[in-house]
Amino acid sequence: MSDELQERAHQIARSILTGFDRHYSIFQEITSSARKRFERTDWESGRVASANRINYYDLRVRETVDKVRSAFGIQALDEPLWQEVKRAYQALLARHSRPELAETFYNSVFCRIFERKYFNNDNIFLVSCVDREALAAGYRVYMSFHPRDGGLEHCVWEILSAFYFSLPFEDLQRDTQRIAAAFRARGPFGAQIPDEARIDVLESPFYRNKAAYLIGRVVVGTDCQPFIIPLANNEAGAIYADTLLTTRPQMELVFSFTRAYFMAKTPVPAATVDFLHSLMPNKSLSDLYQSIGFLKQAKNEFYRDFLAHLEDSEDCLQIAPGTRGLVMLVFTLPSFPYVFKVIRDRFPPQKDVTRQQVKQRYLQVKHHDRMGRMADTLEFSDVAFPINRFAPELLEELEKEVPSLITREGDILFLRHLYIERRMTPLDVYLAKASPDQQRVILDDWGLALKELMGVNIFPGDLLFKNFGVTRQGRVVFYDYDEICYLTECKFRKIPQARTLDDEMSAEPWYSINPGDVFPEEFPTFLTNSEEIRQILFATHPEIFDYRYWQQRQKQTASGIWEDVFPYDKALRFERPAAVIPDGNTAP
């Protein structure tokens, strides 16, 4: 290989890595400002920053593609050159602290420039070359505290004091005592923390919504137990500890796929993810990268997991159980806990929506605060599936409903565009099999889900039970977004009284209906034919069927009142006294 080709390859590699470093610098700048937003109670800016951070990756990729094309005159693929570019790039990552993210960025640039037929491991990083264990071992991203040095209370005091917020604690001694007491009452070690215990806490708080979460673990020998201390701003000049969470299920709810991404400084993401994985071993690398905002890395990790699962399984992709959607065709692999959703080429007349509008609404959800009630999605383009893994009826359905999205190349079927979501039990399927007590519990949670979505200015549009799922934890989650809109865009109305008997008997409404009109009193009629379920709905959340309730919630949202929704049971929260001003006076 000539020196000239090697030098050219090195320059291209360096140019791509410079593009990645610029992207990461901007990403971290947005992320680092979360601290100031938390201290200033600037919640609206936090929502805007979270949405912007999602968009910036593609902007940086486009910038880098344009630079590589213009600076190096890249046209058709020169495979020997680009294979040398990949080797040069890999060498540049040898001492890089974020090599796995840099690999993904390289893949994005290459795939933007060249055709799909060249997407193989000779040209891109289909298989990662990163030694994640070495990265995690080589970079310490947490602080350690030892209860034996002064006792548990002193250890907790040190933890709370270690982050140097610009605001004081409302009552640091009170919070220290509460957390220490909660460790003894809720932790796995009982009233006596072993002398050999070590408490590790990640160096950066994890910011989301109105809270800063301190993420830690208690290590005793080979045993590792998680904990989270959520800190809140009392909006009167001080912060306070809201509770202590001490179990894996509680932590997994905080890191749920139904919640917005955290903002946390992660100088070595692999080390942070390794720490989180020690606390939540059931979470995949894709889950954990996604939870801290690295969406492209999450997609990369997911696809690698999916390919590995296909290798280790034999079942076929099949149409997902439940009522079939009018906009989305949904299929699943029974042995894999996800569903794949593609937008149909044609919609029935009652669905007044376009493909682009559907895609925009799914993007709206990704940008929005999901508050634990909307499922996150991974969006993919040009995904390769082995044709022999499709059930015949699914393959027939795809060819009939989405011919514009499928391409066959040999024994591979490519889907041009799809969404991937965590699989849940559709609510209508759950209700059909549930006992009356189970129906009552889950419908109560369905009502709570609607109210929590109202609190962040979301109206699902189509409230049919088939558009909601039930998670393994028994929570109701909304997952069908083709009719979603902002609550403030709707006009909630009461059905006018019929003028005549003919009006009442008419198959058509006797009153005008405009775009955006919603009649809550109609909800029970189209939600279910079961009188028993209707009675449960009226008994649990009757106000949902009153237009005046929706109008009231609209006014609250329009006035800037966004409700607090905690990612843990309210019963776990420490008792809140009247707000305390830092000088010790009690606020009115």
Side-chain angles (χ1 to χ4, degrees):
M1 184 175 296
S2 70
D3 292 343
E4 182 180 350
L5 186 145
Q6 285 186 316
E7 178 59 25
R8 180 175 170 80
H10 181 82
Q11 290 175 354
I12 295 172
R14 171 55 67 185
S15 183
I16 297 173
L17 186 58
T18 298
F20 167 73
D21 287 339
R22 170 170 160 73
H23 153 68
Y24 196 80
S25 175
I26 295 172
F27 182 96
Q28 285 295 80
E29 182 179 348
I30 296 172
T31 299
S32 297
S33 60
R35 179 190 183 115
K36 290 183 179 179
R37 291 190 290 270
F38 170 72
E39 292 171 341
R40 296 172 181 173
T41 68
D42 190 358
W43 314 130
E44 181 57 35
S45 291
R47 286 188 281 269
V48 172
S50 181
N52 287 341
R53 191 177 68 162
I54 293 170
N55 299 331
Y56 284 163
Y57 182 90
D58 284 336
L59 292 176
R60 301 290 84 76
V61 169
R62 286 199 292 269
E63 284 179 2
T64 305
V65 166
D66 291 343
K67 180 178 178 181
V68 168
R69 278 177 168 157
S70 61
F72 302 100
I74 301 298
Q75 298 295 330
L77 176 67
D78 179 343
E79 285 206 79
L81 169 65
W82 277 88
Q83 287 168 13
E84 182 61 25
V85 171
K86 181 186 173 186
R87 283 190 287 270
Y89 194 82
Q90 186 177 340
L92 291 173
L93 299 184
R95 295 185 179 180
H96 203 284
S97 56
R98 296 169 283 278
E100 79 282 21
L101 303 188
E103 285 182 346
T104 295
F105 190 87
Y106 180 95
N107 290 352
S108 297
V109 171
F110 183 96
C111 294
R112 190 71 63 89
I113 297 175
F114 299 112
E115 298 177 58
R116 183 178 64 215
K117 63 183 178 181
Y118 299 116
F119 299 173
N120 56 63
N121 201 53
D122 290 336
N123 296 321
I124 61 177
F125 295 94
L126 282 182
V127 178
S128 177
C129 298
V130 174
D131 187 341
R132 298 172 191 266
E133 291 184 4
L135 267 177
Y139 291 90
R140 184 183 176 90
V141 293
Y142 57 88
M143 302 173 284
S144 293
F145 304 86
H146 301 274
R148 66 174 178 269
D149 298 335
L152 180 58
E153 280 79 0
H154 181 71
C155 188
V156 171
W157 182 90
E158 284 186 318
I159 291 170
L160 296 180
S161 303
F163 293 93
Y164 300 103
F165 291 101
S166 65
L167 297 179
F169 273 81
E170 194 178 77
D171 189 331
L172 182 56
Q173 182 177 2
R174 178 200 68 198
D175 287 350
T176 296
Q177 292 172 345
R178 285 178 165 181
I179 292 170
F183 259 122
R184 295 186 175 102
R186 304 174 185 175
F189 304 109
Q192 185 63 41
I193 305 295
D195 288 341
E196 66 272 24
R198 185 186 80 242
I199 299 180
D200 299 331
V201 184
L202 284 173
E203 290 179 332
S204 171
F206 279 40
Y207 297 94
R208 187 176 64 197
N209 300 333
K210 297 182 179 182
Y213 296 86
L214 309 185
I215 312 295
R217 63 191 180 193
V218 180
V219 181
V220 179
T222 59
D223 192 12
C224 172
Q225 297 293 333
F227 71 87
I228 299 179
I229 303 173
L231 303 179
N233 188 320
N234 69 4
E235 305 195 28
I239 58 180
Y240 62 91
D242 192 59
T243 189
L244 175 74
L245 308 177
T246 57
T247 70
R248 283 202 174 97
Q250 289 167 353
M251 180 170 275
E252 287 172 353
L253 279 177
V254 173
F255 281 80
S256 169
F257 66 95
T258 62
R259 297 196 178 274
Y261 312 122
F262 286 107
M263 290 204 173
K265 293 176 66 175
T266 51
V268 187
T272 300
V273 166
D274 181 77
F275 186 96
L276 294 173
H277 197 254
S278 74
L279 309 179
M280 296 173 284
N282 293 330
K283 293 278 187 183
S284 67
L285 292 180
S286 176
D287 293 333
L288 297 174
Y289 276 108
Q290 191 165 5
S291 71
I292 52 179
F294 296 118
L295 307 188
K296 294 295 183 180
Q297 190 63 32
K299 287 173 60 174
N300 223 356
E301 301 294 347
F302 176 90
Y303 194 59
R304 287 167 178 159
D305 287 347
F306 179 59
L307 292 178
H309 184 84
L310 286 177
E311 287 289 324
D312 294 337
S313 62
E314 296 181 350
D315 54 335
C316 286
L317 294 156
Q318 57 186 247
I319 297 171
T323 306
R324 298 192 182 184
L326 301 178
V327 171
M328 289 288 192
L329 191 163
V330 185
F331 61 96
T332 189
L333 187 69
S335 61
F336 197 59
Y338 294 85
V339 295
F340 305 85
K341 305 172 70 170
V342 292
I343 304 172
R344 297 178 186 272
D345 281 359
R346 296 170 300 277
F347 310 139
Q350 62 265 40
K351 286 292 184 179
D352 184 18
V353 67
T354 66
R355 175 185 296 275
Q356 190 55 42
Q357 286 173 327
V358 173
K359 293 172 72 173
Q360 186 59 41
R361 288 167 184 171
Y362 272 75
L363 183 61
Q364 174 186 341
V365 170
K366 185 165 285 292
H367 285 175
H368 203 82
D369 188 346
R370 294 184 296 280
M371 302 302 282
R373 294 301 189 173
M374 292 190 286
D376 196 10
T377 57
L378 291 172
E379 185 177 7
F380 281 85
S381 300
D382 291 320
V383 182
F385 294 89
I387 288 181
N388 65 0
R389 296 301 292 272
F390 285 89
E393 59 271 19
L394 171 58
L395 200 55
E396 180 181 347
E397 186 83 357
L398 288 169
E399 291 172 338
K400 175 185 175 183
E401 296 293 334
V402 292
S404 69
L405 296 181
I406 61 176
T407 304
R408 291 184 185 231
E409 295 181 10
D411 58 356
I412 298 296
L413 183 143
F414 288 93
L415 271 171
R416 189 172 303 161
H417 180 263
L418 80 160
Y419 296 101
I420 298 174
E421 281 181 358
R422 190 67 58 88
R423 186 169 63 224
M424 292 171 272
T425 303
L427 180 55
D428 58 334
V429 173
Y430 182 95
L431 287 169
K433 298 178 180 180
S435 68
D437 285 344
Q438 290 172 325
Q439 290 177 340
R440 189 172 295 105
V441 169
I442 209 67
L443 288 172
D444 181 40
D445 197 58
W446 175 80
L448 290 174
L450 286 187
K451 291 178 178 179
E452 290 173 8
L453 290 174
M454 292 179 209
V456 291
N457 195 26
I458 286 292
F459 179 61
D462 190 343
L463 300 186
L464 292 176
F465 294 145
K466 71 182 181 66
N467 297 324
F468 294 79
V470 181
T471 69
R472 290 184 296 107
Q473 293 82 13
R475 284 175 60 82
V476 174
V477 172
F478 181 49
Y479 57 49
D480 196 329
Y481 306 137
D482 58 86
E483 292 192 27
I484 198 170
C485 63
Y486 293 115
L487 185 72
T488 48
E489 293 175 344
C490 302
K491 185 175 181 180
F492 295 97
R493 296 175 53 193
K494 178 176 176 57
I495 297 177
Q497 186 172 356
R499 296 162 298 186
T500 65
L501 182 61
D502 288 341
D503 282 347
E504 289 187 355
M505 301 301 294
S506 173
E508 298 297 326
W510 60 89
Y511 47 91
S512 63
I513 302 176
N514 301 311
D517 283 352
V518 181
F519 300 91
E521 62 196 279
E522 291 183 326
F523 293 169
T525 301
F526 68 74
L527 281 173
T528 181
N529 293 322
S530 166
E531 185 59 32
E532 291 78 8
I533 288 181
R534 285 180 188 164
Q535 290 302 318
I536 294 173
L537 291 173
F538 284 121
T540 51
H541 298 279
E543 60 274 16
I544 286 176
F545 313 113
D546 187 336
Y547 75 100
R548 292 166 295 188
Y549 176 73
W550 291 87
Q551 291 178 347
Q552 176 192 359
R553 297 298 300 270
Q554 277 184 314
K555 290 177 182 178
Q556 291 175 340
T557 300
S559 64
I561 300 174
W562 288 57
E563 293 191 0
D564 298 335
V565 178
F566 300 92
Y568 42 84
D569 192 330
K570 291 181 180 180
L572 294 171
R573 300 181 65 198
F574 297 144
E575 184 179 347
R576 289 287 296 131
V580 177
I581 304 299
D583 64 6
N585 296 323
T586 301

